Amino acid sequence: MNVAAGRGSIVEGEFVFTADDFRHIAEMLHAHAGIALNEGKAALVYSRLAKRLRTLGLTSFRDYCALVEGVDGVDERQKMTAALTTNVTRFYREPHHFDDLRDRVMPELAARARAGGRVRLWSAACSNGQEPYSMALTVLQALPEAADLDVRILATDIDPNMVAQGHDGTYSEEALEPAPVTLWRKYFDRADRGQWTAGAQLKRLVSFKELNLIGDWPMKGKFDVIFCR
Ligand SMILES: C[S@@+](CC[C@H](N)C(=O)[O-])C[C@H]1O[C@@H](n2cnc3c(N)ncnc32)[C@H](O)[C@@H]1O
């Protein structure tokens, strides 16, 4: 391994990674996704992006920055953002939010939906779908007929891989464990190898779309509930 610290590298490794490279990447990420990185994240940025440099056959972070910034860099900018964002999520992560949704918010929304009204919820950074499906299970708990009423949950994320996983809706039994067992066993269908897939009612309630929150929002209607976590 070529230890590059002597050439101004701020992280030891096979590629030179200077403070300027770090600042450049942090600026591009901030401009593209609104994410702020402090210098303490330099080693993380290096380790996440070193794989991209190897895949692209590049030999320096300077060349990588030039590629991302160039006219042909749109695709790589998206890959860089996906590599640098954290997609940590869980079913019912921070469960008091779902308790609140069920106990304080859903009674009024359920009454409105049953009276023929429109109800919209949004998971604004949905990762691989565990958040919007947790919202959907909570809605179904309060309003079992929700999928037949004018109730919908929009699930969006900047990362197209996460959006595709959410759309697919397949999770391990271990991942589903934090959800109330009677609920997920009712609304998920058993798939292969201990996996479960979101069933028809969940699929009707939740729709997935790619969306960068710092870009334009195509949605025009109002939302009753927004999870942005
Ligand atoms: C830590 S995860 C949280 C997932 C989920 N909301 C939860 O609380 O369990 C953050 C998510 O935000 C997404 N994200 C980051 N910047 C974004 C942006 N500018 N627009 C849309 N999504 C973004 C990431 O791709 C990631 O999936």
Side-chain angles (χ1 to χ4, degrees):
M1 185 188 291
N2 169 24
V3 177
R7 290 179 295 161
S9 198
I10 53 173
V11 177
E12 279 189 13
E14 66 186 291
F15 304 109
V16 175
F17 183 50
T18 66
D20 276 353
D21 294 332
F22 175 79
R23 268 193 293 277
H24 205 153
I25 287 167
E27 277 165 20
M28 290 192 288
L29 185 69
H30 190 257
H32 180 55
I35 296 169
L37 289 175
N38 62 46
E39 293 227 359
K41 294 275 166 50
L44 178 129
V45 169
Y46 180 97
S47 69
R48 298 242 180 122
L49 293 182
K51 287 184 208 131
R52 294 300 313 145
L53 268 74
R54 272 179 226 119
T55 304
L56 293 162
L58 297 175
T59 55
S60 75
F61 271 89
R62 202 172 164 173
D63 290 347
Y64 183 73
C65 290
L67 171 77
V68 172
E69 249 185 352
V71 280
D72 299 326
V74 178
D75 187 44
E76 189 54 35
R77 190 151 57 238
Q78 195 172 62
K79 290 197 169 83
M80 181 189 86
T81 304
L84 294 178
T85 47
T86 161
N87 302 119
V88 170
T89 190
R90 266 194 316 282
F91 276 94
Y92 285 76
R93 192 175 78 77
E94 297 183 349
H96 54 284
H97 295 157
F98 298 91
D99 293 345
D100 254 23
L101 176 60
R102 183 193 60 218
D103 299 337
R104 293 203 308 132
V105 181
M106 276 315 295
E108 187 194 325
L109 296 185
R112 189 202 300 164
R114 284 189 174 120
R118 175 184 185 276
V119 171
R120 293 292 181 270
L121 300 89
W122 180 19
S123 166
C126 67
S127 188
N128 66 5
Q130 298 188 37
E131 177 177 275
Y133 287 126
S134 300
M135 293 164 74
L137 290 175
T138 307
V139 167
L140 286 163
Q141 193 174 14
L143 185 63
E145 68 273 40
D148 298 321
L149 300 174
D150 191 5
V151 178
R152 294 295 175 260
I153 299 169
L154 174 66
T156 62
D157 200 279
I158 195 172
D159 185 339
N161 296 317
M162 292 298 112
V163 173
Q165 283 183 38
H167 186 74
D168 178 55
T170 301
Y171 305 94
S172 67
E173 193 159 321
E174 198 182 5
L176 282 155
E177 252 165 32
V181 66
T182 48
L183 277 178
W184 69 257
R185 284 195 176 254
K186 183 170 176 188
Y187 293 109
F188 277 79
D189 300 332
R190 199 184 282 274
D192 292 343
R193 296 188 300 275
Q195 304 274 100
W196 294 74
T197 298
Q201 297 200 58
L202 289 173
K203 292 269 171 98
R204 272 165 66 199
L205 276 177
V206 186
S207 56
F208 287 87
K209 299 262 180 305
E210 192 182 323
L211 180 71
N212 182 348
L213 288 174
I214 67 161
D216 293 332
W217 298 356
M219 313 85 79
K220 298 287 171 253
K222 288 189 176 171
F223 287 92
D224 301 289
V225 173
I226 300 173
F227 275 47
C228 186
R229 312 186 304 154

